[in-house]
Amino acid sequence: MNRPRHPVYWDPEIETLPRERLRALQEQRLRRTLAAAARSPIYRRLFEEAGVAVEAIRGLEDLGRLPLTTKDHLRQGYPFGFLAVSCEETVRLHSSSGTTGRATVVLHSARDLEAWAERMARCMYMTGARSSDVFQNMTGYGMFTGGLGFHYGSERLGMLTVPAGPGNSRRQVQFMQDFGTTVIHAIPSYAFRLLAVLEEMGIDPRRDLDLKTAYLGAEPYSEETRRRVERELGVRVFNSYGLSEMAGPGVAFECPEQNGMHIWEDAFLVEVLDPKTLTPVAEGEEGELVLTTLDREAMPLIRYRTRDLTALLPGPCPCGRTHRRIDRIKGRSDDMFIVKGVNVFPIQVETLLMGMPEVGRDYRIVLDREGDLDVMTVEVEVRREMFQGDVKSLKALREKILAALKSEILFTPRVQLVEPGSLPRTEGKAVRVLDRRRGS
Amino acid sequence: MTAWQLSVFAENRPGRLEAITGVLARAGVNIRAIKISDLGEHGVVKLLVNDPDAALQALTAAGILASKRPVLAVAVEDKPGGLHAVLTVLTRRGINVEDAYGFARDRRAILVIEVPDLAAAAEPLRSAGLQPLAEEELYRL
């Protein structure tokens, strides 16, 4: 770690590579990736079924001829069907929980892990993290890729790395005080949990801790949530995007502009497709993110449907990086639910709620069926400091939330104010939607 | 002149009120009067206690959402027409009573009222000889 670093860019050449040279690099890597993929049993079959000879794919304009890969294909290939190298060359396996179907695995070679760590270091360096920083990683280690991804990236960057893992919040705070933690990584719902614990302990993070940067990711969250965490924790929050199929975090990350996440196009080929027609949408328009790995040995994935909805932001970024930016993830196409014929994303509700100062840190959407009718109830925590003890302001708050929701989702939900801390919390990802309509 | 009432946010489900009274009992706080303003799925429990600061501290430490709210407490003779006299004064001044409750003690009736502007309500009461109770006086009852 003694070579002199560029003051702004971790990898100045790649990060600022002119677009036309970036494209040439992508095409060269795409050809290499396709040749490797064709060695795996699953892709051999998929390419054959699609009638594509991979040698015929020369450039990005041919991309549409390649078949798409879905989660279901990954399940079919469980566990080694996607391997493009021999088993002996793999050094790591990550498996998804399989809560919504059969489990899937992603396999890595030593070089794959190396490239992942480099990408993560690039992400964090971009936000101003330096080797003098102390990094406390508050996400799960193990099969959850967020923990190990950030861990190796942080060590690569040279930060003092504290592998705290999630939970045990009082001890987390103790670590922060004892080690002078400056940078943290957590899922958004855990950041809120941490704020509640700091409050209980009578610690003002802005005054009593050295924190300056927080990375939040793995769950979609709104801009309002970001601003709130920034304000209350006294840090700058950077949005992180990744998925285990693409190794984990480090696919796209925010730069200091905090306006969209640079998706690392030397490692991933980006498409945004209309989820119904599967044709590309125009730049700036929302669609499903589809990614092709460009730099992966063990398990290349071709045109993988992430199910995540976003848009490519038009125009160059003032930070000087040439890699395009994707918008904050609006949600997974699977997150959307339909009530009274209206499509609703949890993030729409969150954006409204977190923009209201009277609202606490937690909320939950409960869907019920009463007779033939769908009923949506939004349970909202009241913010402690805002409670003045009178009935009128509670009524007014409920009316305000109702009116805001109604104008956003175009039907009238029920709004229920609840006590702070009363909504069920989990150590893992927050459960924002409880659908009780099935089986009724 | 101002008395402090404790207002506690509570969801309308079994055990919530008991949780509040349990905290107060353990903190050795004595409840003089209680009123529940129901808003459907949740409500506000209003409490007049002998030590509002200790009560607020205990409730907050237990994670219960509570706050102190200024109210007027007026003592009248415990006989027919006592309450009416107070309300007549306020009505004449066009003062709206947002909420009220009361209790009787030692032949006196204590009326607790929530109004938008305490000073504006206290002044005419005082002129009518209905002096709002001082804080210490109320807690000592």
Side-chain angles (χ1 to χ4, degrees), chain A residues 382-385 387-392 394-395 398 414-420 422, chain B residues 7-11 13 16 37 39 41-42 44 46 60 63-67 69 98:
Chain A
V382 178
R383 190 188 180 94
R384 204 164 272 283
E385 300 78 31
F387 179 61
Q388 296 300 317
D390 62 319
V391 173
K392 246 191 349 197
L394 287 175
K395 267 190 186 155
R398 198 161 78 168
R414 289 182 192 162
V415 171
Q416 192 171 331
L417 302 180
V418 301
E419 296 167 42
S422 68
Chain B
S7 294
V8 187
F9 179 86
E11 285 167 49
R13 56 186 163 88
R16 291 316 296 153
S37 296
L39 289 171
E41 288 104 355
H42 61 86
V44 176
K46 300 170 177 187
T60 305
I64 291 171
L65 186 53
S67 79
R69 183 170 171 78
E98 293 178 338

Side-chain angles (χ1 to χ4, degrees), chain A residues 21-33:
Chain A
R21 283 182 55 203
L22 189 53
R23 182 182 170 120
L25 177 72
Q26 287 187 318
E27 293 189 327
Q28 176 218 325
R29 288 185 169 181
L30 175 65
R31 290 191 293 268
R32 194 180 65 193
T33 298

